[in-house]
Structure formats: C-alpha cells, structure tokens
Amino acid sequence: MLSMLPILVEITWKQWRRHRLRTLLTLLGIALGVSVLFAVRTANLTLLASLNVTIEKLAGKATLQIVGNEGGFPESVWETVKDTPGVYVAQPVIEVLGSTAYEDGGNLMIVGVDMLGDRELREYQFDEEGSEIADPLIALAQPDSILISRTFAERHQLKDGDKLPLYTAHGKKDFIVRGIFKPAGIGEVFDGQIAVMDVFNAQFIFGRGRNIDRIDLMNDKEVTVDELQKRLRERLPAGLDVTRPAARGQGIENAISAMSIGMTVASFIALLVGVFIIFNTFSISVNQRWKEIGILRALGVERGKVQGMFLLEAMLMGVVGSLIGVALGYILAIGAERVMSEIAAKVFSYVATQQPPVFRFDYALTSFVIGVAASVVGAVFPALAASRLNPILALHNIETRQRENVLGKGRIVAGVLLVMLGLGLIRFGPMRVGINFQFSYALLMLLGLIILLPKLSELTARVLRPVMDRLFGSVGVIAVDTMIQAPRRTSATVGALMIGLMFVFSMGAYVRSYQQTVSRWMDRMINSDLLISTSEMARSRTYHFSPELSGRIATLPGVISLENARILFVPYAGDSIGLVSLEMEGWFARVNDVVEDADAGVAREKMIAGDGILASRNFASRYGLKVGDSIRLETPTEPFERPIVGLLEDYTSEKGSIFMDRALYIKFWNDNAVDMIEVNLKPGVDAGTVKREIERLVKGEHRAFVYTNSEYKRWVMNLIDGFFVLNYMQMAIAIIIASLGIINCLLISVSERKRELGVLRAIGGLRSQIGRMIMLEAACIAIVGLVVGALAGILNTYFMVRTAATMIGGFIIPFRFPFEMVLIVLPVVLVISLAAAWWPARKAVRMPVIEAIGYE
Amino acid sequence: MTIRKSILLLLFYLPLSVLIIASSAPDARKIMELVYQQDTSKDATWRAVMDVMDKKGNVRSKKFVFRKIGSLGNSKTIIRFTDPAEVRGVGLLSINEGGTADRQWMYTPAIQRIRRIAAQERRQKFLGTDFTNEDMAERVLDDYTYKLLSEGEIVDGRKTYKIEGRPVSADKSQYAYVYLWVPHDTPYTVLAEMYDKEGQRRRILKATQLERISGIWIARRLEMSTPPDQTKTTLVIGEVKFNSGLKSDAFNREALERPDNF
C-alpha cells in the first residue's frame, strides 16, 4: 500500500482541488470535532491548573495544611498543632470570598493570616522596595485594616490610607488600605482580586467567632512531611484532615467533575457529527469515482487496495483536519476556561488564578489520533462499498450497490436489538458501575439508531410524501423520492442532524425536567413570604449573616416569624454532603407534606427535639440508607450521631443532604452564622412593602438579596439556568456542528447530482422547478432529521434522567420530553437547511444543460 | 514595644562601674559584664516616644509606657501604647526565662482579644521599626564572645573601648559580628554597629543623653538606623522610675487585658 502512496496522494490532491468546497467543509467538520475535544480537555486542565495555582500561592511554603469542613474549626487546634514536635511554623488562615460595595461589584478574595508571623510561609512583596506595611502596629490594632494587591488598587484607584467598602457579616464596612503588595506571590491569585488582613481581625469582622478555616504549616528539617502528617493525624480531633496542599486540588477536581464530564460528552458528540460528515463525504466521493475505481479494478488493483486507498485518503483528511482542530482547540480553550472558571467561582466558590492555556502534547496527540481514527471510521463503509464495486458496471458508471444493504432486515433487527439492549441496561442495569461503563448504555442506543437510520429516514420520508404532494405537487414528490432513492446519502445528512439534535433535545429535556422538578419541590418547601439570601448563588461559602440581623428583621412591622437557615457542606464517607440547619418548629409549620417514608408527626417531634435528622432521598439512595439508620459526622466539637427519622426530596447537593434543627447544629458545630432568613408575614400584609422595609434596613450595611416568594422561585430558576450555561454552550456547539453537517451534506448532494439535474432540465424541467425541488429536498431532509433527532432525543433523555442525572447529579428526575422544543427547533433547522441548499441550487440551475449531463 | 527594645539595649550595651573601667588592664568580657550588670533594679517604668522614619522622611510617632519586673534573663515586661488613638490600649507582654525563647502576647482592644505572637524570623523587622525580632529578644552576656579592638576612639566627645562581639552560635544570629563602643567612664554602650554575614553594616544604634537615675545609667535618646533601607527609629525616654514596687500579677494575660491601669 505504501508503494501506492505517491499515486494516492496525487489522486487525492486532484479530488481535493476539484471539490474544494466539499474538502474544506469536510476538513472543517473534523477540525471542529477535534477542536472541541481538545479545547474541553485543555480548558479543563487549565482550569485545574488555575485552581491549583490559587492553592499553591495561598499555601506559600506550607508543606501541610489542616482543613475541616466549611464552617471551619476552633482556633484552639492551632495551639495543638504548634506544640506538635516537628512543626517548624504553623499559621492560621481564614479565606473569605468577599464582595466589594463598588458600583461595578466584583468579588475580592480576602485571606486572613497572622500578620506577625505569616511571612515565614507566604511571599508578600510590598510596593515600596524594602519597606513594610506603612504601620504594622496600626494594621494589627485596627480591625478595618486591609492590604490589597496593586492590581486591585489600580482597578479602583486606591492608595494607602484610602477607604475600601466591603460587605461583611456585620454589614457594609469601610476598610482602610494599609498596604499595597505587588502582583507576585500571593498577589497573583484570582487575577489580583485579593486582599490580606489579620486573621484575628478577619474573625471579628466576618463573624467567624474563634474559628479558623485552615492551618498552614511547615515541618522541621529533622522530620519528614509524612511523619509529621501521621503525628498530627494522631493528635488532632476527628473531622480535621491533614493534607498536602497539592492534594487539595484533587478535592476541587472532584467537585467540578460534573462540569468537566458534561463538556467532555459534548466534545464527543461534536466528533460524532464529524464522523457523519466524513461518512457522507466519502459516500459521495465513492459515487463520484465509480469509473476511476472501475479502471483501477480492471487494471488488477485488488479490492483491499481500493478499500485501503479510500481509508488512506480519509486518514490524510483526518491528519489535516485534526491538525487544524488542535490549533483551533487551543484558541477555543481560552474562552472555555474563562466560562468554566466563572462557574467554578460562582457555583463552587473556588477561585482560579488565570493561567495561560496549558498545552499538553499527550492531549494534542490523543485528540489528533481520535480525529484521524474518527475520519477513518467514517470512511470505512464507503471504502468497503468502493471495494465491492463490480468493475464492469463501475466502468459504465452504473450504481451497483444494493439498497437492501442499508435497508435489509438484518440491519433493522440488529438496530432494534441494540436500542432495546441500551434501554434495558438503562432501566435494569446496576447504577453504580462507573461512569464510562454507563455511558456505553447510551452508545448502544446510538449505535442501534445509526444502523436504523436509513430505514427511519425512509419511513419518515414516506410519511412526508403525500404531504409534499398535496403542498407542492410533483416537485415535492420528486424531492421526497430523491431522498428515498438515495438512502445512504440521505442517512448521512440526517445522521449528522440526528446526533446534533439528539444532544440539543435531550439536554433541553434534562434542563426542563430538572427545572420542573425543582419548581414542584419549591412549591412544597419554599413557602415563606420573603427570603433573604447572602449571595446571588443561594449561599456563599464564605459570607454569612449574623443572627443579629435576623433579630432586627423580626421586629419589623408585619413580620410574624422568621427562620434562620445555615447551609453548608460537610465531609461524609469520603465525600462532601449538604447540611441544612433550620429552626424546625417554624419550618414544619409552613412546609407541605415533605416527610416521606415515615410518620410526619413523629418525625416532626424528633426533629424539633434534636433527636433525629431528615435525609434527602438522593442521600439515602447514594449511601444505601433508610429511615432508622444512624448518621455519624465529625464536628468541630464532638462526633455527631443521630438517626434518620424521615426522608425528603431535596436538591441542595448532588451528593445528598441532611436536615437538622438549628440549635442542634449550633451545639455541635459551634457556628451561629446564617445563610438564609425566611420571613413569614401576618395575614394581609403586603410582601412587597415589607421587602422594601428590609431593603431599607440592610441598605449600605449588608450584602443581602431580598426576594418575595415568587421572586425567589424565579430567581432559583434563573440560577439553574446559570448553572446550565455550559449545557447551553454544548447545545450551541451541537447546533453549529449539526448545521455544518447539513451544509456539507447538501452541498455535496447537489453537486453530485449535476448530471441528474441536467437530465431533468433536458427533459423539460424549468430552472425554477429544479431550484424549488432542491430546496424542498433540503427541507424534507431537515424534517426527517428533526423527527429522527427527536426520537434519538427521547431515548437519550431517558438515559440522562435515569442514569446520567443520578450518576452525575445524584438526583432522581422524572422523564419529560419537551415536544414543544421540537417545534421551536423546526424553523431553525429549516432555515439552516434552506440556506445551505440555496447556493448549490442556484449553481445547479445556472449550469448549462450539456455541461450538467456531461458531469461525472 | 520599642521601649522594651530600649530597655534591652540599655541592659545589653550599657552600664559599668567607673572604677573598673578606670583600671589599667581592660578585658572585653569584663567591660561587657559591667554593662550587663549595672542595672540592678527590681522593676522599672518608662514613658517614651518612638518615631519611625521611612526613607522618604515620613515620621510615624507613637507613645507608650514600658514596665519591667525581674532581672535580665528572668524578667517580665509589659508595653502599653497610649498614642495615637489607633493604637491606644494595645499591649505587649513578654516573659523571658533564662535559656528559653521569649514568650510574647499581644492585646488589641478593638477586638478585645489576646493573641500569642509566634516565634519569628530573626531578621524580620518588628512591627515596622528598625529593630528586628532578634534585636528584640532579651540577650545575656554569654550569647557573645568579646574582643577588645581599641581603647582610644572618641564617640560623642567620650573616650571609648571598641569591642567586637561575635555570636556564640553563628547559625542563631542574623549578624556575623557587632562592634560596641563603651565609654571609659560609663558602663553603657553608646554606639553599636551590627554586620551581616556578607560584612555589610546592617544597623547602627546610638545611645545619647546618658543619665544616671537611682544609680542606674540610662540613655534618654536611642536611635536605631538601617543604612541599607535609609530608615531610622528614635526612642526618646521621658519619665523613668526604678524600684517602684510593681507586682508580678501586673505581668500576666489578665493584666494585659486591662489597658486602663496605664
């Protein structure tokens, strides 16, 4: 085969030059698929690198870190750590993602450190060469002292001694800038949106009591890090983890895994569409080169070599397309990483320090190889078809392939069986066998659908035929018949469309189902008149209200009662679960029928008495627990153990969540912070009026988001939309690639039929009729693609709600397919198809009849 | 805090008996012994003003009261800042026990809490002054070995002994050696230069306006400068009282939290 390479390259080059547009579109199809694949992996890696840089810069020279849960742990642990032999230096840390009170908002990462000793651990470079903080004693003595990065100072035109307004647990406060450090070391973190203050002042200002978030420490030279880690683990109370700073990155990686998985799936979808584009290109290429193949075969070239020739061509195309894809993907990664890091900060409160895209040669190579392999896979069937051509008939340019090949019973049975197998595995298969294995369920269904595609296309087209006849007469019928008579060509276009639309529909269905589920859940759980939150993301990991604010709100006219809620994440069974603490008596009084699997009255009594907890259904399902089982948690004070007294539906965390009485939480976690205040009003009191009162009360003092019940529900829905922004991006990518697929396939399809169109013209067909026919065929393909895409979408939605939602999101979401979305997408697909067909149709009808008939 | 430093400096670099200095066969260690031992007070109270000047010439001024009980190497001190308003009430408690590192606590009234001050890098400046953490630690005579370099140098019109001091444990000091000037007629170090391991002069301490109160020599004015940084910290000591009967219970954490008694 290698000896044929020069000839092959020459033939290929000739073909590529002759069909420049087709070649370009095919290359673009591969390039896009590869670029998305490479971009997602690169963006993911860059995001992790950016998050790790934050950890490293913040950790400084620390060799070990002691971390607890989100609520922090008592600073008394610091004394234990300092007194542990082998600890050279240990410093307490508080991290707060604060919010500036400037018009343009913006978050500020505030790191509380011991300003008297922290320089042994962290690098601070102050602006004045060789100088220190202007007045360290004042900086320590005044809790409003803050040191900021020069980047932040320049952004807000701040200098030493200026006021910096920030929202704190005690309301809005003006901090005084008492030092500006260079954008190096810790100053590089979070794009310079970083400030440092004394840890004890931070405790006071941010209402953290005597708790700290972390202890960073360095080991003595005489003791190894591992040995010290072991010693500390033996000495420290349970619930505290002694870890190397780098290991914390793994935790973050796990937390953002759902986001990464979603993006990776989208990239494979993009690549799959690329495979269809290749398939279509080569199907057409084979058709166009029958005579060429016939000559080669007549000259004695063996079947295998003909097949190899096409595969090599596909490989060449894959090589060029993949190279372009890798380059394109590297650029695309920059944008993708920005979006992902924003989500990481908003949703997970993980702060990234922007890093240039990481170029990993192995990733590039993998993407390249996958791209080339996808091209070859796409060309396998056309190449096989080419090798099976009868040389005599091929020389006469007569299609010899049998339609039954793609519409045969065997294929249909195989296709149906694969779809059924996929469905069966989704319905009855084990739930926790690993994400890759479970994705194969969806792949089985998809493979079945691809095999069934020609038949499905044909069936849909046959249904469409009378409609087209009635609407457009003989031109419409010819358009549909053309589709039916060329099932391979039609299937390739429809397949590209099906993959893209399947993704769009199933993702849309998933999002819609999730929204509806949450909406119903909110109707049962969220029924206070007003809700006040600390963050635009439902809760903040680092910013909380103090109970004092609730006390003031409770005295407002019209307020009958209120409940304080604390929502945080705590370690459980090696993972992190949601913990919701509420004033249970008030909560039970207003929620509707939330307790499941238990007597609601008994559960209520136990909850109020602090004798039990409620567990979310996904928590129980995830850890195989039921009512009556006990949950044990490590807390900053002593181990917490309570039985589950009931289950409830809850969407706080994909890992599951538990509910407990607030008094119980405060007792064990020694934390009285508040994340949300739910306010109940006297009957007849206007919620809007009280809302304005609360806003007046908090204005200029607290960063608080006050919502009426309906506003809150709308806001949650918007939040979900925000979380799904990546999914929408994936949908957009799928639509772009599917569009590219349609454009490619239709362009090729029309070009291929120049002779056929010429014959139609020769027997009296008008230019306008030919043009209309091409446009109608494009429209029919779009409709068929939409129908098949909807079918695939339904199947994939089933996979997503049954498997993916549980596997990635941990939630049980009912199956609902948004058929209205199909109708919404219809005009979009029609427009794209008609636009794609317009230019080739115009070109086709303008071609002289003689030239068209002579086209091979 | 700087007050405490001044005390230490005074104790470390100064007193001596005139008679011994007048003897004809000077020995560097003996001269320094007299400097260390000249303060025989049981307790001391100072009021002082500290000016820290940065390289642009900006001066930050603070006032404080310094109290000490016990003897060198076994003392307790409290420094209480009284001015400006931003630092009023801030207190520093140090407990020095022979052979162990100083234990220090700081009280900040704005958040009403005491914090332990971690042992720090020796060369790091203490609270923005020209004194480093090493300078702030209470030293004893045996921390250094001494060598007499000359006997006739004139400093501020006084004939002085120039003594070289080298730390006993080289790895425990940021300085490679120090030069000390002690007047023939006064057991007090009036000038000290500290050199790093590269031989660069890092700091200069000048003690002027020497005065003898209750038989104990003190310098009313101390100036520590850092030539490489072009910064300077000056301490001017006002009211001084020795042996006024301070109680040891005024030198603990509870006392630190009571800024009102200064």
Side-chain angles (χ1 to χ4, degrees):
Chain A
M1 181 54 68
L2 283 176
S3 60
M4 286 176 63
L5 200 61
I7 303 166
L8 173 73
V9 169
E10 198 184 326
I11 294 171
T12 304
W13 180 240
K14 201 174 115 194
Q15 283 290 323
W16 287 13
R17 283 194 60 175
R18 191 170 167 194
H19 304 285
R20 283 193 199 102
L21 186 61
R22 186 182 81 193
T23 306
L24 189 71
L25 286 170
T26 309
L27 288 175
L28 202 58
I30 303 163
L32 261 182
V34 171
S35 71
V36 175
L37 182 71
F38 183 60
V40 166
R41 296 189 77 192
T42 302
N44 200 31
L45 191 76
T46 307
L47 174 64
L48 288 174
S50 304
L51 292 168
N52 278 324
V53 165
T54 305
I55 292 174
E56 283 165 19
K57 297 276 179 193
L58 290 178
K61 289 180 264 178
T63 49
L64 286 171
Q65 294 184 320
I66 294 160
V67 289
N69 62 44
E70 276 187 26
F73 52 88
E75 68 179 50
S76 55
V77 173
W78 184 30
E79 295 299 325
T80 313
V81 172
K82 279 194 292 189
D83 293 341
T84 303
V87 171
Y88 171 66
V89 60
Q91 292 295 340
V93 179
I94 280 181
E95 279 179 16
V96 179
L97 190 58
S99 175
T100 62
Y102 290 125
E103 283 289 304
D104 54 351
N107 286 332
L108 180 69
M109 176 95 181
I110 303 161
V111 186
V113 297
D114 176 10
M115 282 170 59
L116 285 174
D118 202 67
R119 284 198 179 186
E120 290 221 49
L121 273 179
R122 270 168 276 269
E123 181 190 358
Y124 304 89
Q125 292 181 14
F126 289 89
D127 259 9
E128 290 296 316
E129 194 184 342
S131 80
E132 307 285 324
I133 304 162
D135 194 324
L137 187 60
I138 293 180
L140 283 170
Q142 294 298 309
D144 61 1
S145 304
I146 198 160
L147 317 176
I148 56 173
S149 77
R150 192 168 65 199
T151 316
F152 183 77
E154 282 171 357
R155 262 177 215 146
H156 299 282
Q157 286 92 47
L158 291 168
K159 56 186 189 307
D160 253 353
D162 280 354
K163 286 179 181 173
L164 164 61
L166 286 175
Y167 286 109
T168 74
H170 301 292
K172 183 182 160 191
K173 280 210 184 301
D174 283 331
F175 285 74
I176 308 294
V177 176
R178 301 211 193 265
I180 295 172
F181 48 91
K182 287 182 180 175
I186 197 169
E188 290 175 82
V189 168
F190 198 20
D191 193 25
Q193 293 284 104
I194 185 152
V196 172
M197 62 187 296
D198 185 64
V199 66
F200 302 104
N201 290 338
Q203 281 179 330
F204 176 77
I205 290 283
F206 296 105
R208 303 295 298 273
R210 294 287 167 105
N211 280 1
I212 54 177
D213 289 333
R214 209 173 71 221
I215 294 171
D216 291 352
L217 61 103
M218 272 167 79
N219 56 310
D220 259 337
K221 283 176 195 160
E222 299 80 49
V223 180
T224 65
V225 177
D226 289 339
E227 171 60 24
L228 183 59
Q229 188 176 27
K230 196 174 150 216
R231 272 186 211 172
L232 286 164
R233 279 184 175 152
E234 283 164 3
R235 281 177 166 233
L236 296 177
L240 294 178
D241 192 17
V242 185
T243 175
R244 286 172 186 260
R248 287 182 65 214
Q250 186 60 48
I252 291 179
E253 194 170 344
N254 292 342
I256 61 167
S257 62
M259 182 164 70
S260 310
I261 290 167
M263 288 299 278
T264 308
V265 170
S267 64
F268 276 103
I269 293 287
L271 205 65
L272 208 54
V273 176
V275 171
F276 271 89
I277 292 174
I278 286 281
F279 172 79
N280 196 40
T281 302
F282 278 87
S283 293
I284 302 302
S285 183
V286 169
N287 285 352
Q288 285 175 342
R289 287 150 72 181
W290 285 328
K291 193 174 259 184
E292 207 172 73
I293 296 162
I295 292 167
L296 287 171
R297 293 279 290 116
L299 288 172
V301 176
E302 294 158 12
R303 283 177 192 275
K305 286 189 175 165
V306 170
Q307 194 181 343
M309 186 180 80
F310 278 96
L311 291 178
L312 260 177
E313 186 182 333
M315 195 185 284
L316 269 179
M317 205 162 248
V319 167
V320 177
S322 299
L323 284 175
I324 298 169
V326 168
L328 202 63
Y330 190 65
I331 298 163
L332 200 63
I334 301 169
E337 194 271 338
R338 291 262 157 88
V339 175
M340 287 166 83
S341 66
E342 262 181 42
I343 293 174
K346 273 188 171 178
V347 178
F348 304 104
S349 292
Y350 290 134
V351 169
T353 300
Q354 214 69 50
Q355 296 296 297
V358 179
F359 185 87
R360 279 274 294 267
F361 184 73
D362 54 339
Y363 281 15
L365 188 67
T366 315
S367 305
F368 174 82
V369 169
I370 291 175
V372 174
S375 304
V376 174
V377 167
V380 162
F381 288 107
L384 202 64
S387 70
R388 285 177 183 167
L389 278 181
N390 179 324
I392 310 292
L393 296 176
L395 281 168
H396 287 87
N397 211 356
I398 298 165
E399 188 177 6
T400 56
R401 283 174 291 159
Q402 299 299 306
R403 284 180 54 208
E404 287 72 16
N405 282 347
V406 290
L407 298 172
K409 277 184 186 168
R411 277 172 172 265
I412 292 166
V413 170
V416 170
L417 279 178
L418 281 172
V419 171
M420 297 304 288
L421 180 63
L423 281 172
L425 283 168
I426 293 166
R427 176 69 184 84
F428 303 106
M431 290 301 279
R432 297 176 68 84
V433 289
I435 192 159
N436 293 330
F437 193 79
Q438 280 171 295
F439 271 124
S440 68
Y441 304 167
L443 283 179
L444 283 175
M445 286 195 307
L446 191 59
L447 191 62
L449 281 174
I450 290 170
I451 293 172
L452 287 172
L453 202 53
K455 192 69 190 169
L456 288 170
S457 303
E458 190 206 8
L459 286 174
T460 318
R462 286 194 190 284
V463 172
L464 213 54
R465 196 172 186 276
V467 180
M468 295 299 282
D469 186 17
R470 173 165 291 190
L471 290 175
F472 304 103
S474 58
V475 178
V477 173
I478 294 171
V480 176
D481 285 348
T482 311
M483 278 177 63
I484 295 170
Q485 282 156 17
R488 276 177 185 274
R489 190 181 64 208
T490 307
S491 302
T493 316
V494 169
L497 201 53
M498 177 188 83
I499 302 287
L501 290 178
M502 174 195 81
F503 190 72
V504 170
F505 290 145
S506 54
M507 193 55 78
Y510 177 72
V511 173
R512 187 66 65 85
S513 295
Y514 188 87
Q515 284 169 332
Q516 286 176 355
T517 307
V518 172
S519 175
R520 273 201 313 282
W521 166 74
M522 283 197 297
D523 287 342
R524 290 164 73 192
M525 301 270 281
I526 312 288
N527 40 29
S528 54
D529 299 301
L530 291 166
L531 296 105
I532 308 157
S533 170
T534 52
S535 157
E536 66 270 48
M537 292 303 295
R539 67 166 207 116
S540 162
R541 192 163 63 93
T542 54
Y543 176 74
H544 316 286
F545 295 137
S546 67
E548 174 266 337
L549 176 66
S550 311
R552 288 167 65 199
I553 292 169
T555 61
L556 288 176
V559 174
I560 191 166
S561 66
L562 53 77
E563 289 114 44
N564 294 310
R566 176 84 169 96
I567 306 158
L568 73 162
F569 286 81
V570 294
Y572 179 76
D575 224 323
S576 184
I577 60 162
L579 191 162
V580 182
S581 71
L582 300 138
E583 277 131 0
M584 279 293 161
E585 192 160 7
W587 185 71
F588 268 109
R590 60 176 173 76
V591 293
N592 303 320
D593 192 26
V594 293
V595 178
E596 298 169 4
D597 290 13
D599 183 299
V602 175
R604 178 183 172 278
E605 273 176 29
K606 286 187 176 169
M607 288 296 290
I608 293 169
D611 291 334
I613 57 153
L614 290 175
S616 70
R617 197 164 273 288
N618 67 331
F619 174 81
S621 158
R622 189 179 181 88
Y623 298 102
L625 297 166
K626 58 186 186 311
V627 173
D629 290 342
S630 273
I631 300 293
R632 188 185 159 92
L633 296 168
E634 300 300 343
T635 80
T637 58
E638 58 185 290
F640 170 92
E641 190 162 359
R642 291 289 186 280
I644 299 173
V645 295
L647 299 184
L648 81 171
E649 194 184 349
D650 182 65
Y651 295 88
T652 303
S653 166
E654 75 274 17
K655 308 276 167 66
S657 47
I658 57 166
F659 283 60
M660 69 175 68
D661 188 62
R662 183 168 162 79
L664 191 63
Y665 170 76
I666 292 173
K667 182 184 160 196
F668 278 86
W669 274 265
N670 193 23
D671 167 24
N672 69 353
V674 177
D675 291 311
M676 185 174 282
I677 305 167
E678 300 187 50
V679 183
N680 308 301
L681 303 177
K682 289 172 188 164
V685 172
D686 176 48
T689 309
V690 181
K691 177 189 166 179
R692 284 189 290 278
E693 277 301 308
I694 295 171
E695 282 172 341
R696 254 196 294 277
L697 182 78
V698 298
K699 191 178 179 188
E701 284 191 29
H702 291 273
R703 185 187 61 171
F705 299 81
V706 188
Y707 303 93
T708 62
N709 188 283
S710 56
E711 283 170 346
Y712 182 79
K713 286 173 180 168
R714 272 202 302 278
W715 172 64
V716 171
M717 287 307 174
N718 288 338
L719 269 186
I720 293 172
D721 271 350
F723 183 75
F724 283 122
V725 68
L726 270 180
N727 301 73
Y728 297 136
M729 275 177 64
Q730 294 161 10
M731 285 160 76
I733 290 169
I735 288 175
I736 290 168
I737 294 188
S739 306
L740 197 70
I742 303 173
I743 294 167
N744 180 298
C745 294
L746 285 174
L747 272 178
I748 295 165
S749 165
V750 176
S751 311
E752 180 207 6
R753 288 185 291 136
K754 278 182 188 163
R755 178 201 280 260
E756 184 186 317
L757 298 173
V759 171
L760 280 174
R761 288 275 313 283
I763 59 170
L766 299 172
R767 283 175 193 267
S768 60
Q769 283 176 322
I770 304 296
R772 215 150 63 119
M773 190 198 77
I774 294 170
M775 298 295 273
L776 285 175
E777 189 190 340
C780 287
I781 285 176
I783 293 166
V784 172
L786 193 72
V787 171
V788 180
L791 177 67
I794 290 170
L795 294 174
N796 203 48
T797 303
Y798 184 65
F799 164 74
M800 290 185 76
V801 298
R802 279 287 308 175
T803 306
T806 315
M807 195 167 51
I808 302 170
F811 302 124
I812 297 154
I813 296 171
F815 173 83
R816 279 184 201 88
F817 188 77
F819 287 99
E820 68 277 11
M821 193 184 277
V822 181
L823 295 176
I824 294 166
V825 171
L826 176 65
V828 178
V829 177
L830 277 177
V831 167
I832 293 169
S833 303
L834 293 174
W838 177 78
W839 187 74
R842 190 164 167 266
K843 205 178 160 196
V845 295
R846 286 187 175 182
M847 187 181 276
V849 175
I850 311 273
E851 190 188 323
I853 292 172
Y855 181 84
E856 288 180 8
Chain B
M1 192 59 183
T2 317
I3 276 291
R4 180 174 167 271
K5 166 58 200 159
S6 73
I7 291 288
L8 295 169
L9 291 165
L10 292 171
L11 295 172
F12 175 50
Y13 297 118
L14 307 186
L16 199 58
S17 145
V18 176
L19 286 175
I20 289 182
I21 288 174
S23 69
S24 56
D27 171 81
R29 184 175 164 91
K30 281 199 172 145
I31 294 168
M32 293 313 297
E33 261 176 29
L34 293 172
V35 171
Y36 273 88
Q37 289 165 3
Q38 72 97 18
D39 182 357
T40 52
S41 63
K42 288 178 182 163
D43 64 64
T45 303
W46 313 73
R47 286 188 183 274
V49 177
M50 178 178 71
D51 292 329
V52 180
M53 190 177 81
D54 66 21
K55 70 175 176 185
K56 289 180 184 166
N58 302 316
V59 177
R60 287 174 281 117
S61 196
K62 289 183 186 67
K63 291 180 183 171
F64 59 88
V65 178
F66 173 86
R67 284 177 180 168
K68 187 201 92 162
I69 191 168
S71 56
L72 191 65
N74 187 24
S75 66
K76 292 176 183 175
T77 63
I78 277 191
I79 295 167
R80 185 77 66 183
F81 287 88
T82 56
D83 195 73
E86 293 100 314
V87 298
R88 188 173 298 140
V90 171
L92 286 157
L93 166 69
S94 297
I95 297 180
N96 316 299
E97 286 164 346
T100 61
D102 292 3
R103 286 177 293 145
Q104 293 185 314
W105 291 266
M106 184 181 200
Y107 172 75
T108 41
I111 57 172
Q112 295 187 325
R113 66 169 298 173
I114 290 177
R115 62 198 291 172
R116 172 100 181 258
I117 300 176
Q120 298 161 349
E121 218 176 294
R122 282 187 289 271
R123 66 183 63 218
Q124 192 176 314
K125 287 182 173 183
F126 185 81
L127 290 177
T129 67
D130 285 272
F131 299 103
T132 64
N133 292 316
E134 182 179 348
D135 300 328
M136 294 303 297
E138 190 167 83
R139 289 184 194 138
V140 292
L141 184 68
D142 292 339
D143 286 347
Y144 279 74
T145 57
Y146 305 95
K147 182 180 161 191
L148 183 65
L149 298 179
S150 70
E151 298 184 44
E153 280 193 34
I154 305 294
V155 177
D156 281 344
R158 291 167 185 255
K159 202 172 180 185
T160 61
Y161 297 109
K162 183 179 179 184
I163 294 166
E164 181 194 86
R166 285 187 180 268
V168 174
S169 305
D171 61 332
K172 286 187 178 169
S173 175
Q174 64 183 305
Y175 303 124
Y177 54 92
V178 296
Y179 291 149
L180 309 164
W181 284 264
V182 179
H184 288 203
D185 58 356
T186 312
Y188 205 97
T189 306
V190 291
L191 180 63
E193 290 181 350
M194 287 76 120
Y195 291 81
D196 63 18
K197 291 181 171 69
E198 283 74 44
Q200 189 186 10
R201 189 173 61 174
R202 297 299 308 179
R203 279 178 193 83
I204 304 168
L205 176 74
K206 285 179 188 165
T208 53
Q209 300 173 25
L210 298 190
E211 199 175 310
R212 199 168 189 194
I213 300 170
S214 304
I216 298 163
W217 285 98
I218 65 153
R220 287 286 189 182
R221 190 173 192 281
L222 288 162
E223 181 189 290
M224 177 73 107
S225 58
T226 312
D229 297 346
Q230 301 165 47
T231 57
K232 187 166 75 177
T233 300
T234 311
L235 212 64
V236 176
I237 297 165
E239 184 191 342
V240 179
K241 279 193 278 186
F242 288 114
N243 303 322
S244 57
L246 297 179
K247 304 287 182 207
S248 64
D249 61 6
F251 294 86
N252 55 32
R253 292 178 54 155
E254 289 70 36
L256 190 62
E257 283 183 281
R258 296 195 303 267
D260 50 312
N261 62 354
F262 276 77

